[in-house]
Amino acid sequence: DIVMTQSPDSLAVSLGERATINCKSSQSLLYSSNNKNYLAWYQQRPGQPPKLLIYWASTRESGVPDRFSGSGSGTDFTLTISSLQAEDVAVYYCQQYYNIPRTFGQGTKLEIK
Amino acid sequence: EVQLVESGGGLVKPGGSLRLSCAASGMLFSKGWMNWVRLTPGKGLEWVGRIKSKTDGGTIDYAAPVKGRFAISRDDSKNVLYLQMNGLETVDTAVYYCTTDSSGCRYWGQGTVVTVSS
């Protein structure tokens, strides 16, 4: 199974500042035949289902604010929120969909400092 | 607009059974690959299993902790996804979500709560 490890486990950032969450996979998520990374990012607010933010490691889902961006390739990935807003308080998860079983990172709790 | 609505959760004793349902609308359900994912207090999000569309073979895969106890099925005539859970354990206590499986999990239901306790 592919193990997904996020860092940090929790993060406190001031409003308007940048937040960065890292995700490392135990094997490459880059599929050579199409040069795509099979990595997604989700936001889960309290009491809500997860929401897809980013797929193919860097493609923003429709309707997601452009302050959210994804980067990385192979085994190392990053989710960046360029200017933190109050509504961004949530738990963020990365997930690989390269193979079965699908696996998630353990989550990163983002709070306001 | 795609909508997924789960139902069937509740309180069950260890060793008991439950069947969850997920009613889909706003999508061509028969073509969709579907997941069950659960959120547990201690472990975060955990993939439970996936069923492919019948046209893609209908293959069903399960996570190791539920293999042999849980069974995923679908009724494309009713646009419904099922999760039959047998031999429930306290560690199966979670919010269970159905999701689509395409470039990640694009659509999610609101979830249904399963509590396994004596």
Side-chain angles (χ1 to χ4, degrees):
Chain A
D1 297 2
I2 298 176
V3 178
M4 305 298 291
T5 304
Q6 291 180 226
S7 61
D9 289 335
S10 63
L11 181 61
V13 174
S14 301
L15 289 172
E17 295 300 303
R18 178 185 300 259
T20 302
I21 299 170
N22 300 300
C23 176
K24 189 173 185 67
S25 57
S26 61
Q27 67 184 72
S28 177
L29 305 182
L30 179 62
Y31 194 41
S32 56
S33 67
N34 60 9
N35 203 37
K36 288 182 180 288
N37 287 281
Y38 284 61
L39 187 282
W41 288 98
Y42 302 88
Q43 175 194 64
Q44 187 167 29
R45 296 181 175 126
Q48 295 291 317
K51 174 186 174 183
L52 177 66
L53 297 175
I54 303 285
Y55 57 99
W56 300 131
S58 61
T59 302
R60 198 178 303 114
E61 173 69 338
S62 176
V64 172
D66 61 7
R67 64 180 180 274
F68 290 90
S69 63
S71 62
S73 184
T75 61
D76 292 279
F77 302 92
T78 300
L79 175 70
T80 301
I81 308 172
S82 60
S83 176
L84 190 71
Q85 305 299 303
E87 61 265 31
D88 301 334
V89 169
V91 179
Y92 292 83
Y93 296 91
C94 60
Q95 181 219 12
Q96 65 81 17
Y97 51 98
Y98 185 89
N99 66 9
I100 293 291
R102 306 285 194 238
T103 45
F104 291 88
Q106 79 276 19
T108 295
K109 187 174 184 179
L110 178 59
E111 298 172 313
I112 305 293
K113 186 187 290 182
Chain B
E1 179 194 2
V2 174
Q3 283 202 315
L4 301 172
V5 180
E6 301 94 339
S7 60
L11 174 63
V12 62
K13 289 182 167 49
S17 298
L18 274 179
R19 188 176 82 156
L20 307 184
S21 300
C22 170
S25 60
M27 62 178 285
L28 194 52
F29 181 75
S30 63
K31 299 287 191 188
W33 295 16
M34 302 294 294
N35 292 311
W36 285 100
V37 174
R38 63 187 181 185
L39 176 68
T40 59
K43 295 177 70 175
L45 293 173
E46 182 181 20
W47 178 81
V48 172
R50 182 197 67 187
I51 185 167
K52 292 183 179 180
S53 63
K54 287 189 170 60
T55 54
D56 290 320
T59 307
I60 306 171
D61 293 288
Y62 298 97
V66 308
K67 197 168 187 178
R69 299 188 298 124
F70 290 11
I72 297 173
S73 61
R74 62 192 299 160
D75 186 336
D76 291 342
S77 68
K78 296 180 179 177
N79 289 353
V80 179
L81 176 73
Y82 298 102
L83 179 64
Q84 177 67 45
M85 303 187 294
N86 300 325
L88 282 160
E89 304 168 356
T90 55
V91 294
D92 296 317
T93 294
V95 180
Y96 284 76
Y97 300 99
C98 64
T99 86
T100 56
D101 185 72
S102 171
S103 304
C105 303
R106 172 159 284 111
Y107 300 106
W108 297 69
Q110 286 296 314
T112 187
V113 178
V114 172
T115 303
V116 184
S117 174
S118 55

